[in-house]
Amino acid sequence: MKLAPQKFSPLKMVKIKPWLAAAIAAFSFNASLRPAAAQTTSYCRFDSDAIAEKESLRVAAVDGDSEARQRYNAILQKQAESLRRCREQTWPQTQAIWLRVYPCDARPGAMDALFDHIVNKGYNQVHVEVFFDAQVLLPANDNPTPWVSVVRSPGAENVDLLAMAIAKGRERGIKVYAWAFTMNFGYGYGLRPDREQVLARNGKGQTSISYVRDNTQTFIDPYNPQAQQDYQKLVQAIARRKPDGMLFDYIRYPRGAGSQSVAGNVKDLWIYGEASQQALQRRAFNGQASELIGRFLQQGFINANDLQAVRQLYPTETTPEWQGRNPMAGDTLPALQTQLWLLTVAHAAQGVVDFLNLAIRPLQSSNIPAGAVFFPDANKSVGQQGYDSRLQPWDRFPAGIEFHPMAYSICGSPSCNVEEIMRTISLAPPQAKVIPALAGYWGRRDGNRPSLEEQMNAIRQQIPSITALSHFAYSWQEPEIDQRRRSCQL
């Protein structure tokens, strides 16, 4: 990326500290104090004069110039109103971007520079990542969760990056949503001896740590009370900071590679944690059902000997009964085997739905909107009796939340992205608000991935009901800026 030379107004020479100079260069703005109207161009981006004036005033304000601070604040208000008017008249009315913040964003003026840059690009909503890789965006002195704080530098124990981001966004007319991993609690969590019983397990004795092997993912048993309690503490802490909404990601089980991407046998399912097995047993309504469920889990199948043994154990029961079973389907071995498979798949999927419902509860009491982030194809069946191993039953997510399908497929044109969004609309509850997440770059293709403009134009033409969408991610659009922010020391 070629950086434009930095120009300074002859009206006031601003003394720049070294770290500020690097930040200015990273954002590539021409600094000038000449008046400029806060005018927007295509996609509600601000013009170069408005950008340059705002940036030079920001730098001067950080350096202690009180007059520059007043003028800077006035420009923020003016541009917030311009952005609001532009987005009301421009499709999409909500244009969001996914963002991870770093400890260095707590430096004076750094968060301002970051959100100014986002506003300059026409975004009026930001999804700030608050829980990822076993880290939380909470200050160390106010972190009731079992995860470490993102900011861990000595002397910075009270730095609240999430509260800062929310405040900076609102100053600029931007809604700030919190974005969190959900059933993926992070690799560090999985290594804790006191949380070993919390992890999801399949019938081969594996946890996701040994299954995925990327040192980043640890999926939990959604039926485990400790997992539920830990996550509720996180959501409650986030809710106290009053974001404009909260989005839940990784609401699913892990996905394996190759043949492991399909669950075709009960032992492929992540229901072998103690809590999950106990919850499954509670779905049995009589002794025959409980015994058959146990044998099916242990062996991966049942046979004629199992049926005979179960009937001898419970001779007064005419048929096994469990939640959702239709007795009219018959008591033959093939029928019972199929029904047990469907029961265990449904049990695994219900755990995902229940965990999401539990997660959004603290938000509902605070009137904070919730949303789910998901893969449109992660709820598909595969073959005659297989299922996508992620078992992400997003079509059963609560109707009152936002639906954020990750339309990331690559096929050389926007057609596959449009198809994913249309599938979401067809299966989501009728009243659900569908807000697609797109991946890509402004102004250029990435191999077979169309540019953001191409994808957006196709969606607008073919699905005019869509009025809000998001772009993944700021780090993709600005890799050099992201690298500087990530690698510097607070």
Side-chain angles (χ1 to χ4, degrees):
M1 171 171 128
K2 187 175 181 181
L3 303 180
Q6 202 70 38
K7 298 179 182 178
F8 295 94
S9 168
L11 300 178
K12 181 174 180 67
M13 293 301 294
V14 180
K15 184 178 180 182
I16 306 297
K17 297 177 182 179
W19 66 267
L20 269 178
I24 295 168
F27 282 89
S28 307
F29 296 136
N30 292 321
S32 169
L33 292 179
R34 66 183 183 276
Q39 296 178 347
T40 55
T41 60
S42 59
Y43 298 101
C44 292
R45 295 170 181 161
F46 285 90
D47 63 32
S48 58
D49 287 343
I51 291 172
E53 179 184 23
K54 180 172 63 176
E55 174 60 8
S56 67
L57 289 173
R58 183 193 67 80
V59 172
V62 170
D63 206 44
D65 187 327
S66 58
E67 180 184 354
R69 168 59 64 183
Q70 292 179 353
R71 293 174 62 190
Y72 176 66
N73 290 338
I75 281 184
L76 294 185
Q77 294 180 17
K78 184 178 181 180
Q79 289 193 352
E81 178 59 22
S82 296
L83 180 63
R84 183 190 65 79
R85 290 198 308 267
C86 183
R87 289 258 67 106
E88 284 181 350
Q89 301 167 12
T90 305
W91 185 94
Q93 280 65 52
T94 298
Q95 182 174 275
I97 193 164
W98 303 79
L99 174 71
R100 178 177 291 185
V101 296
Y102 302 104
C104 277
D105 292 323
R107 288 184 167 185
M111 191 77 78
D112 287 302
L114 175 61
F115 274 80
D116 282 351
H117 196 209
I118 289 170
V119 166
N120 294 342
K121 295 160 77 72
Y123 292 103
N124 62 341
Q125 187 164 305
V126 177
H127 302 157
V128 175
E129 199 166 19
V130 297
F131 174 45
F132 58 94
D133 297 345
Q135 302 177 82
V136 292
L137 205 65
L138 297 171
N141 280 347
D142 187 17
N143 179 6
T145 78
W147 299 283
V148 298
S149 297
V150 170
V151 179
R152 299 189 289 274
S153 301
E157 291 82 4
N158 293 315
V159 169
D160 194 330
L161 282 172
L162 175 57
M164 289 177 62
I166 292 170
K168 298 303 181 184
R170 288 179 179 161
E171 285 177 352
R172 293 158 177 79
I174 295 178
K175 287 186 175 182
V176 177
Y177 274 46
W179 157 39
F181 285 13
T182 308
M183 287 173 56
N184 177 5
F185 276 21
Y187 186 71
Y189 183 94
L191 299 180
R192 292 180 53 144
D194 62 341
R195 292 298 191 272
E196 185 178 354
Q197 81 284 359
V198 177
L199 308 188
R201 284 177 168 77
N202 61 22
K204 303 159 192 173
Q206 295 174 304
T207 68
S208 59
I209 294 177
S210 57
Y211 181 78
V212 181
R213 297 183 184 277
D214 64 359
N215 292 345
T216 64
Q217 301 182 36
T218 296
F219 285 80
I220 51 84
D221 177 355
Y223 289 99
N224 188 280
Q226 184 67 62
Q228 297 168 0
Q229 180 182 342
D230 286 345
Y231 202 75
Q232 279 206 309
K233 287 182 179 178
L234 168 69
V235 179
Q236 289 165 354
I238 299 300
R240 284 196 293 271
R241 285 152 177 83
K242 304 295 184 185
D244 294 294
M246 186 166 181
L247 302 180
F248 297 92
D249 200 353
Y250 279 93
I251 320 165
R252 59 176 178 86
Y253 297 102
R255 186 181 192 184
S259 61
Q260 289 186 315
S261 65
V262 177
N265 181 280
V266 64
K267 294 202 171 186
D268 296 329
L269 301 177
W270 298 91
I271 58 173
Y272 284 80
E274 182 178 349
S276 184
Q277 289 194 62
Q278 290 175 353
L280 178 58
Q281 283 291 348
R282 289 194 293 270
R283 301 189 189 279
F285 294 154
N286 64 8
Q288 285 192 12
S290 179
E291 185 69 21
L292 281 177
I293 289 171
R295 292 178 182 231
F296 187 67
L297 282 177
Q298 182 179 9
Q299 300 168 175
F301 59 88
I302 57 170
N303 56 32
N305 292 334
D306 295 316
L307 289 184
Q308 183 179 358
V310 165
R311 287 163 181 162
Q312 288 176 350
L313 283 171
Y314 302 95
T316 62
E317 298 176 0
T318 58
T319 185
E321 298 177 3
W322 57 73
Q323 185 179 7
R325 179 172 183 246
N326 179 10
M328 300 299 292
D331 286 347
T332 65
L333 178 60
L336 287 170
Q337 188 123 247
T338 297
Q339 291 173 70
L340 283 167
W341 166 239
L342 294 176
L343 168 69
T344 52
V345 170
H347 173 72
Q350 189 62 44
V352 177
V353 175
D354 290 349
F355 197 82
L356 175 60
N357 283 324
L358 190 72
I360 67 178
R361 213 172 279 170
L363 303 178
Q364 293 171 329
S365 60
S366 301
N367 294 318
I368 297 173
V373 188
F374 56 87
F375 290 103
D377 62 345
N379 65 343
K380 285 185 174 181
S381 59
V382 182
Q384 291 188 344
Q385 69 165 19
Y387 293 88
D388 187 298
S389 61
R390 292 169 289 188
L391 280 180
Q392 190 170 43
W394 56 261
D395 50 305
R396 290 165 49 195
F397 288 171
I401 68 172
E402 298 174 359
F403 282 60
H404 292 253
M406 293 180 282
Y408 293 173
S409 290
I410 302 175
C411 60
S413 77
S415 61
C416 50
N417 312 112
V418 170
E419 288 173 5
E420 289 178 318
I421 299 167
M422 293 181 72
R423 182 174 192 270
T424 301
I425 293 172
S426 69
L427 295 179
Q431 65 271 43
K433 185 175 183 180
V434 176
I435 305 172
L438 309 178
Y441 302 90
W442 287 106
R444 68 178 178 88
R445 297 173 66 86
D446 179 34
N448 284 326
R449 188 191 299 278
S451 67
L452 290 173
E453 291 94 332
E454 289 180 84
Q455 296 180 58
M456 291 166 68
N457 288 337
I459 293 169
R460 186 180 186 185
Q461 292 172 9
Q462 299 181 52
I463 320 176
S465 61
I466 296 294
T467 60
L469 51 77
S470 64
H471 296 158
F472 189 87
Y474 184 85
S475 60
W476 283 29
Q477 293 187 18
E478 304 293 343
E480 294 182 16
I481 295 174
D482 192 77
Q483 174 60 32
R484 289 187 181 95
R485 293 169 49 238
R486 183 170 65 250
S487 59
C488 81
Q489 298 298 315
L490 180 61

